[in-house]
Amino acid sequence: MTDRITGLTLSSVTLPLKHAISDAKVFTGRQRPMTEVAFLFAEVRTESGLEGVGFGYSKRAGGPAQFAHAREVAPDLIGEDPNDIQRLWTKLVWAGASVGRSGASTQAIAAIDVALWDLKAKRAGLSLAKLLGAHRDSVRCYDTSGGFLHEPIEQVLANATASLASGIGGIKIKVGHPSAAVDLARVRAVREHIGAETPLMVDANQQWDRPTAQRIGRALEEFGLVWIEEPLDAYDAEGHAALARSLDTAIASGEMLTSVAEHHELIRHGAVDIIQPDAPRIGGITQFLRLAGLAEHANLIMAPHFAMEIHAHLAAAYPHEPWIEHFDWLHPLFDERLEIRDGRIHLSDRPGLGVTISDQARKWTVDRADLGAPV
């Protein structure tokens, strides 16, 4: 059914974190602890009365830039048929082509793109996963939010216990501490605490050089990890490939890349066993689906990064059994919750993404633009 976009609302929302968060980038002096996350929400309205909701985000700097770019290019959608998502993505890219096809510009488009897919699924009366063609109605999940380096190991162990008791299936902890001995002691403590059969992953957040990654990677082999994440700089495809060939433990990366082309370099080099795209970072669902085709062709496992409200649907539609990263940080932004039990996130049958923006998120709005017909 032909429809027309009549208006959009863009909202910049600042989510305060309960505690300052530190991973290896903080311990090595590259970043300050993270105290908030900036979200860009897009609400797209049509003449038929439907509304689609999408979002993107930026940790630390970048939120205002995403909002400003979206506000500039979004008016080009007024009067367009929202069904033509791929064409509209291209139109928005070319509207801001002078600032590139990756990074903040396409991350700004991502929120709108997600809203258009949400809208399309709602029109069909289907969840987004069903619209895309789901392979499963639940996805394996692991927790990250309880394993950061700023927390003493006793708290990490307590967090792991609580996560597993809540139905989450695996535990990921941060490594990349300036002391390799500290890293190994923390991993050993968690492995002994959760047992040999519980899936355990580690994430170095790009903080090792090649020799260090090789040495610590070998030392980690005894713990039976599901993967070692971002052991090297995210753009070091050759280094990741060499590491993947030399270690038994799977290598995972991709979350920091901001385009399909950058992920293709990982795939082309055989740099990862597990690819970790982030739909809001690479330009939305339209681009994620392009990447998913490449990853499937390469027979890669997929473990999308963050934003589980979006990625649960995309992972459910990926042919090979994936993983989803669980973060509880985003809970205050939405009225709904994903169901978690038996180690898996279970998708609801609510149309679209199945989420609505909460009143609390509205209160955290720091900037807003209403485009086209009034709300």
Side-chain angles (χ1 to χ4, degrees), residues 40-44 52-56 110-116 118 310 353 357:
L40 171 62
F41 282 94
E43 298 164 83
V44 179
V53 175
F55 68 91
I112 300 169
D113 182 81
V114 172
L116 291 173
D118 179 59
I310 298 171
L353 291 176
I357 303 172

Side-chain angles (χ1 to χ4, degrees), residues 7-12 40-43 45 67-68 70-72 74-75 365-373 375:
L8 301 92
T9 296
L10 302 171
S11 303
S12 180
L40 171 62
F41 282 94
E43 298 164 83
R45 300 178 296 278
F67 177 78
R71 184 173 53 191
E72 278 196 277
T365 298
V366 296
D367 209 345
R368 174 182 166 119
D370 292 305
L371 310 171
V375 180

Side-chain angles (χ1 to χ4, degrees), residues 145-177:
S145 48
F148 279 81
L149 280 174
H150 67 276
E151 294 194 301
I153 188 60
E154 294 78 15
Q155 185 61 53
V156 172
L157 299 181
N159 293 343
T161 298
S163 293
L164 295 173
S166 74
I168 290 170
I171 300 296
K172 187 174 81 177
I173 69 168
K174 300 292 187 174
V175 291
H177 191 280

Side-chain angles (χ1 to χ4, degrees), residues 208-265:
W208 293 330
D209 57 27
R210 292 186 185 186
T212 302
Q214 186 70 57
R215 183 174 63 254
I216 298 180
R218 287 195 185 117
L220 290 169
E221 297 275 36
E222 67 170 291
F223 300 112
L225 303 176
V226 180
W227 70 67
I228 300 171
E229 184 171 331
E230 285 193 330
L232 302 170
D233 185 276
Y235 293 91
D236 185 2
E238 292 182 355
H240 278 95
L243 204 59
R245 288 192 298 267
S246 66
L247 297 179
D248 292 337
T249 307
I251 298 301
S253 192
E255 69 176 64
M256 293 303 295
L257 304 182
T258 61
S259 70
V260 174
E262 291 167 357
H263 282 83
H264 183 254
E265 281 298 288

